[in-house]
Amino acid sequence: MTDHRLTVAAAQLGPIQKAEPREVAVARMVRLMERAHHRGVELVVFPELALTTFFPRHYCEQIAEADPWFESAMPSNATAPLFEAARRYGIGFHLGYAELTTEPDETGAVRPRRFNTAILVSPAGEILLKYRKVHLPGHAEFDPRRKVQHLEKRYFEVGNLGFPVIRAPMGALPGVNMGMMICNDRRWPEAWRVLGLQSVELVMLGYNTPSINQEAGGFEAHHLRVFHSHLSIQAGCYQNACFAVATAKAGTEDGCELFGHSIIVNPQGEIIAQAGSWDDELITADCDFGMCTLGRTTIFAFEKHRRPEAYQRITSQVGAVAPPVWPA
Ligand code: CDV
C-alpha cells in the first residue's frame, strides 16, 4: 500500500512584545524547528506576522513609520537562521510576515507596497509559494471608540496574488497540493472554495485573533471567539476535503490577549491535534492525504454537483441586498 502520509506541525508562538527584536523571535522559532525535527515532522507552520508583535494594533500617523516591522528581503540576515534550520533538518516551513516591496501597482506606477504575506519554503530553503492576505479586517484610520486598534486596512494593501495552490514534493511524498490563507481569510467560505477548486490537500494558515471583540458592535461571549475560529476551519476542511494546519500567536502581547487554540484538522472536519497553552508550543499530526478522496469523489465531487450558474451573486456582488417584500 502506498503511504500518502506527511507529518506536519503547528508551531504556535507565545506573545512577541513590541520591544522584542525579530532575532529573538527567530531564535524561538528555530528551537521549535529543532523540536519538530526530533518528533519526525516534515512541515512546520508558523503564525501570521510571526516575526514581530501584531503591530496593526499600534497607530502610526505616517505609514512609513511602521516600516521597521516590515521585511524588505526574504531571507534577510535576521531570518536566514530559519532557512538554515530548514536545510539542516530537511523540514519545509510556512512563515507569515509583513512584506515591504517596490513593484508596479495596477496603474503601472512603481512604488513601495506593503502586504500581509505568507510563504511556503521547501526543505532545501527555496520559496515555493507566496500568498498575500486578501481579507483585511479592521480600519484604516485611528478609531477613538476602540480600546485596541486594528489597523490592517491602514498598513496593508489587499493581496494581489489570488489564492494560489502548488503541487510540490514535501517530506517523503513526491507531491502534495498546498495552499495558504491568512487569519481572517479562514472565515470566508469563498477563500476555501477557491483553494478547493485547485484540488488543495493541505491548507496552511496563521492567525492573530484577540480574545475580545474590540469592534464594540454588540456583545460577543468570549468562548464564541474560539468556537467561530474552529467552526470556520473545520467547515472549510470538510467542504473542500482537505487538511488544515492553523497556527496561532497566543497570550498577552503588548497588553492585548490573543487566543491560542492552534489546531490541525482532517478532511472530515475533525480536530486531530490542538494546542493547550498560550505559549510557544508544537502540536503534530500525520496527514494521510488518501483521506481527501472520499469527500472529493462523493458529496463534494465538484465536477458532478456544483452549479456555478446559480452562484452568480458570489462574484458580481459585494454587500448584501434586501430581498423582495411579500406581498408585492
Ligand atoms: N489578524 C486577523 O485577521 N484577525 C481577525 C480579527 C480581527 C477578528 C480574525 O479574523 O481573526
Side-chain angles (χ1 to χ4, degrees):
M1 195 178 121
T2 324
D3 193 346
H4 296 291
R5 278 176 300 187
L6 183 74
T7 304
V8 299
Q12 178 174 289
L13 290 176
I16 301 174
Q17 308 304 336
K18 195 175 175 190
E20 200 166 317
R22 50 173 71 51
E23 286 77 3
V24 174
V26 166
R28 283 164 54 185
M29 293 161 78
V30 168
R31 276 198 294 279
L32 285 165
M33 286 179 84
E34 189 183 333
R35 275 162 56 192
H37 166 66
H38 291 307
R39 285 161 65 173
V41 170
E42 296 163 299
L43 176 63
V44 170
V45 177
F46 290 112
E48 172 191 35
L49 301 178
L51 300 169
T52 64
T53 190
F54 186 74
F55 65 85
R57 71 169 72 88
H58 300 297
Y59 178 73
C60 293
E61 186 145 342
Q62 300 300 322
I63 289 169
E65 287 170 41
D67 284 353
W69 280 308
F70 283 76
E71 313 303 312
S72 49
M74 187 58 68
S76 60
N77 287 344
T79 53
L82 292 170
F83 290 72
E84 285 154 18
R87 283 190 285 269
R88 183 162 65 248
Y89 301 130
I91 296 179
F93 71 93
H94 161 283
L95 173 72
Y97 63 99
E99 179 188 14
L100 175 58
T101 170
T102 299
E103 59 183 63
D105 63 19
E106 33 308 309
T107 70
V110 177
R111 59 177 177 80
R113 306 189 68 185
R114 296 169 182 83
F115 297 99
N116 186 340
T117 294
I119 48 170
L120 171 64
V121 179
S122 78
E126 302 143 324
I127 296 177
L128 299 175
L129 193 64
K130 180 184 279 193
Y131 168 68
R132 291 168 171 167
K133 187 174 182 179
V134 167
H135 298 100
L136 298 174
H139 45 107
E141 300 304 329
F142 184 84
D143 183 347
R145 292 168 311 153
R146 294 180 62 118
K147 284 206 198 97
V148 182
Q149 303 295 302
H150 194 106
L151 291 155
E152 285 197 63
K153 280 184 164 50
R154 181 175 193 80
Y155 295 125
F156 304 121
E157 293 183 55
V158 172
N160 57 357
L161 303 176
F163 290 96
V165 174
I166 192 156
R167 182 169 183 79
M170 196 54 70
L173 299 181
V176 181
N177 302 349
M178 294 170 286
M180 295 184 272
M181 57 177 71
I182 300 179
C183 196
N184 191 260
D185 291 322
R186 74 195 187 284
R187 305 182 193 273
W188 299 91
E190 298 90 335
W192 288 94
R193 186 46 49 87
V194 172
L195 293 175
L197 285 168
Q198 298 169 82
S199 306
V200 74
E201 293 170 313
L202 178 65
V203 174
M204 293 159 282
L205 74 99
Y207 61 93
N208 284 265
T209 305
S211 302
I212 294 174
N213 187 344
Q214 297 285 353
E215 284 200 44
F219 173 73
E220 186 177 62
H222 290 184
H223 71 280
L224 294 179
R225 300 286 280 175
V226 173
F227 172 66
H228 292 155
S229 176
H230 287 184
L231 178 69
S232 304
I233 298 162
Q234 292 179 255
C237 286
Y238 166 62
Q239 292 167 347
N240 296 281
C242 61
F243 285 85
V245 183
T247 310
K249 178 115 70 63
T252 302
E253 194 179 79
D254 302 343
C256 175
E257 193 178 275
L258 301 167
F259 68 70
H261 290 84
S262 300
I263 49 173
I264 303 175
V265 176
N266 74 17
Q268 296 287 4
E270 295 170 299
I271 296 175
I272 52 175
Q274 179 169 318
S277 78
W278 283 16
D279 210 334
D280 292 3
E281 180 178 348
L282 196 75
I283 58 166
T284 65
D286 289 336
C287 298
D288 176 355
F289 295 113
M291 272 188 82
C292 301
T293 306
L294 179 68
R296 254 158 227 221
T297 53
T298 57
I299 298 224
F300 297 112
F302 293 159
E303 69 288 359
K304 288 191 195 136
H305 308 306
R306 289 187 73 251
R307 293 286 169 249
E309 69 278 11
Y311 312 148
Q312 188 255 343
R313 282 184 194 271
I314 298 275
T315 52
S316 65
Q317 191 177 316
V318 181
V321 293
V325 177
W326 184 89

